[in-house]
Amino acid sequence: MAISRILIANRGEIALRIHRAAHEMGIETVAVHSTADADAMHVRLADHAVCIGPPAAKDSYLNVAAIISAAEITQADAIHPGYGFLSENAKFAEIVEAHDLIWIGPKPEHIRTMGDKVEAKRTAGALGLPLVPGSDGAVESIEDAKKVAAEIGYPVLVKAASGGGGRGMKVVPDEEQLESLVSQAKSEARNAFGDDTVYLEKYLGNPRHIEFQVFGDGNGEAIHLGERDCSLQRRHQKVLEEATSPVISDTERDRMGGIVAKAMADMGYRGAGTIEFLWEDGEFYFIEMNTRLQVEHPVTEAITGVDLVREQIRIADGKPLSVKQDEIRFTGHAIECRINAEDPETFAPSPGLVTSYHAAGGMHVRVDSGLYAGYRIPPYYDSMIAKLIVYGRTREGCIMRLRRALEEMVIEGVKTSIPLHQKLLREPDFLSGDYSIKWLEEWLDRQKG
Ligand code: ADP
């Protein structure tokens, strides 16, 4: 069955990204949108558009019945969920398939397994991925927790099985505080996720966040597309990502990439996925797998030349992977800056009217954004309004080009994080590639002090 019309169950830059890949394949698109997004670029460019509800995401972009009806009314034959919203909702994937629509995503059972952190860790371990030392599954009692913590050594981290966005997570410095912090983590998890299952992990002091992009055809073939370094984070939110990582050698990429690709092949994984690791002192430790396209996927596209959305659509359509592992070359360096509508110092959101807009251009400069002059950024959704992705033959060249591109970007009427990126790109620690997941927050504290 050939896909001929894709409904894009998302908004903003990622909806545009999917629209572009689809049109380059000769496939029509259907945009869905809330009443707040009637004038959005993804709605303007799509071949068909359906309003699916009021501004609140739960009534529109998370409204399963409205999205399925929109697909039926417009005779779409496939649904791409983008990232966020319904992208990692196994039930939604099943509903899509039950309506004889093609789900452009992983098998629902894999989305479900990887969505539960305890299950994900067990699965990753069984597939041969290196884990953070910790409890074997959930901790059942405080005695159990004490025993595990003594074995792995303090500090330890209590994590919620259903966790996300860093909630239900507590660092425990010593045994004295274990009992109270475990019960705090449990009650936080119960309130946030309705599930108070927790597990223990060794707390790594100063790791980097390094993730591998993988792709499977669902029939036992899988490849990796190298790593991305996403260590620059604020409150667990990525701010800037780069590929390749300044600390991973070609040999190490091949070795670890080989391990993750084999794991995905053994699992029978279908579509795009990201395996996230913490990395410290030369060792990788699996933390979670994301069963979707990531915000930062363009840096991988820049250094491999593989269009990841096109690949997702092909695989959903039953075609084989378009590249074999030995055809993939990692060339040059790419960096992505996430540009948010927010105050660059206080991080307070800054929605509103964009009075003028000019996107950077030139060689190896890519801007993924739905912005235009006269667009009103709605206050209801994520504050990311653009991604600036720059490629260079070397990391140094890439940074110089990125600085030049940031000078050219004009977004007026709202505050943006552009000045933050400009400052970051002049920091000696960033220039030397010497930063961990703690670095950005410590740097921000120093800027204030
Ligand atoms: P979530 O789904 O809540 O984002 P993750 O497991 O991805 O949870 O962890 C979020 C962040 O917490 C990581 O990016 C890292 O910064 C930190 N973290 C997670 N596990 C550990 C660990 N064992 N040691 C130190 N930091 C950790």
Side-chain angles (χ1 to χ4, degrees):
M1 175 171 27
I3 294 176
S4 61
R5 188 176 293 165
I6 296 174
L7 180 139
I8 303 166
N10 216 301
R11 64 181 299 283
E13 69 86 19
I14 197 62
L16 267 180
R17 170 71 191 86
I18 297 160
H19 166 84
R20 286 173 172 150
H23 265 210
E24 287 170 20
M25 298 171 83
I27 297 172
E28 287 189 16
T29 56
V30 178
V32 291
H33 64 91
S34 69
T35 50
D37 277 339
D39 292 330
M41 192 60 99
H42 77 277
V43 178
R44 294 184 174 196
L45 289 186
D47 301 293
H48 310 271
V50 181
C51 181
I52 50 168
K58 70 172 181 20
D59 301 321
S60 51
Y61 298 103
L62 295 171
N63 184 342
V64 172
I67 293 169
I68 298 287
S69 306
E72 292 187 333
I73 292 163
T74 56
Q75 295 178 313
D77 43 27
I79 295 189
H80 194 309
Y83 52 66
F85 295 128
L86 295 165
S87 61
E88 289 177 290
N89 184 322
K91 186 83 202 147
F92 178 61
E94 283 165 354
I95 292 171
V96 169
E97 290 184 341
H99 284 79
D100 284 331
L101 293 161
I102 295 174
W103 167 246
I104 305 178
K107 297 172 187 171
E109 72 252 35
H110 290 158
I111 301 177
R112 191 165 280 126
T113 302
M114 293 302 172
D116 175 318
K117 289 171 167 251
V118 168
E119 268 312 300
K121 217 175 155 179
R122 183 174 296 140
T123 307
L127 289 166
L129 301 181
L131 306 177
V132 190
S135 55
D136 185 15
V139 288
E140 307 293 351
S141 65
I142 194 68
E143 288 68 40
D144 191 14
K146 277 187 182 159
K147 199 161 142 271
V148 175
E151 272 166 29
I152 58 180
Y154 289 89
V156 296
L157 190 62
V158 191
K159 290 172 108 170
S162 310
R167 276 180 303 177
M169 224 188 271
K170 298 279 170 205
V171 183
V172 185
D174 51 42
E175 186 171 307
E176 215 168 290
Q177 297 181 55
L178 186 66
E179 187 158 3
S180 81
L181 288 170
V182 166
S183 68
Q184 278 180 41
K186 273 181 171 291
S187 76
E188 252 181 50
R190 197 180 310 118
N191 291 333
F193 316 109
D195 169 15
D196 71 354
T197 310
V198 296
Y199 61 105
L200 285 193
E201 249 175 28
K202 170 112 194 113
Y203 179 69
L204 302 172
N206 211 22
R208 295 181 80 113
H209 173 116
I210 295 183
E211 57 183 36
F212 275 81
Q213 176 70 53
V214 291
F215 250 102
D217 70 354
N219 299 313
E221 291 287 331
I223 56 170
H224 77 89
L225 293 159
E227 82 285 4
R228 294 182 285 260
D229 198 318
C230 314
S231 302
L232 288 181
Q233 300 182 3
R234 178 181 171 271
R235 299 198 176 158
H236 303 303
Q237 297 293 316
K238 297 164 185 167
V239 170
L240 174 157
E241 303 96 344
E242 57 183 322
T244 57
S245 166
V247 296
I248 302 298
S249 68
D250 294 348
T251 325
E252 192 55 0
R253 172 172 318 107
D254 288 348
R255 184 188 74 83
M256 201 59 210
I259 292 172
V260 296
K262 176 165 188 310
M264 291 303 104
D266 291 349
M267 194 179 178
Y269 190 74
R270 183 183 74 202
T274 295
I275 312 211
E276 297 191 338
F277 295 98
L278 294 178
W279 181 94
E280 194 171 62
D281 299 330
E283 300 289 333
F284 285 95
Y285 303 95
F286 171 85
I287 47 171
E288 67 172 341
M289 176 168 184
N290 294 318
T291 50
R292 56 168 163 83
L293 188 70
Q294 306 261 117
V295 174
E296 59 272 23
H297 77 276
V299 293
T300 300
E301 298 185 321
I303 64 159
T304 61
V306 178
D307 178 334
L308 298 192
V309 178
R310 181 186 181 93
E311 208 62 29
Q312 286 187 301
I313 296 171
R314 281 176 50 93
I315 288 167
D317 216 358
K319 299 197 176 77
L321 292 161
S322 70
V323 279
K324 298 205 164 46
Q325 191 70 57
D326 60 10
E327 294 167 346
I328 296 162
R329 298 277 171 276
F330 301 100
T331 314
H333 197 87
I335 302 180
E336 170 181 280
C337 292
R338 296 190 186 200
I339 300 176
N340 295 342
E342 66 190 15
D343 185 298
E345 279 167 24
T346 64
F347 298 95
S350 177
L353 183 68
V354 175
T355 51
S356 65
Y357 175 68
H358 173 79
M363 186 166 168
H364 295 321
V365 174
R366 165 174 172 184
V367 179
D368 278 18
S369 173
L371 285 188
Y372 57 88
Y375 174 65
R376 189 173 285 281
I377 300 166
Y380 312 103
Y381 312 108
D382 193 86
S383 64
M384 194 182 73
I385 48 170
K387 304 190 306 204
L388 172 62
I389 307 104
V390 166
Y391 173 82
R393 287 172 65 185
T394 61
R395 186 168 186 268
E396 295 68 35
C398 180
I399 291 170
M400 293 302 287
R401 178 169 290 137
L402 185 50
R403 285 191 197 161
R404 186 275 291 167
L406 282 166
E407 280 164 19
E408 278 180 26
M409 286 293 293
V410 177
I411 303 171
E412 281 173 357
V414 297
K415 291 181 188 165
T416 77
S417 51
I418 291 175
L420 173 73
H421 288 294
Q422 286 177 315
K423 260 188 173 170
L424 263 177
L425 290 175
R426 296 195 178 272
E427 273 300 311
D429 288 343
F430 178 73
L431 299 180
S432 64
D434 184 17
Y435 57 84
S436 75
I437 57 171
K438 301 256 176 79
W439 186 86
L440 182 62
E441 290 194 358
E442 289 170 0
W443 178 77
L444 287 166
D445 282 345
R446 286 201 300 276
Q447 305 293 302
K448 275 187 252 156

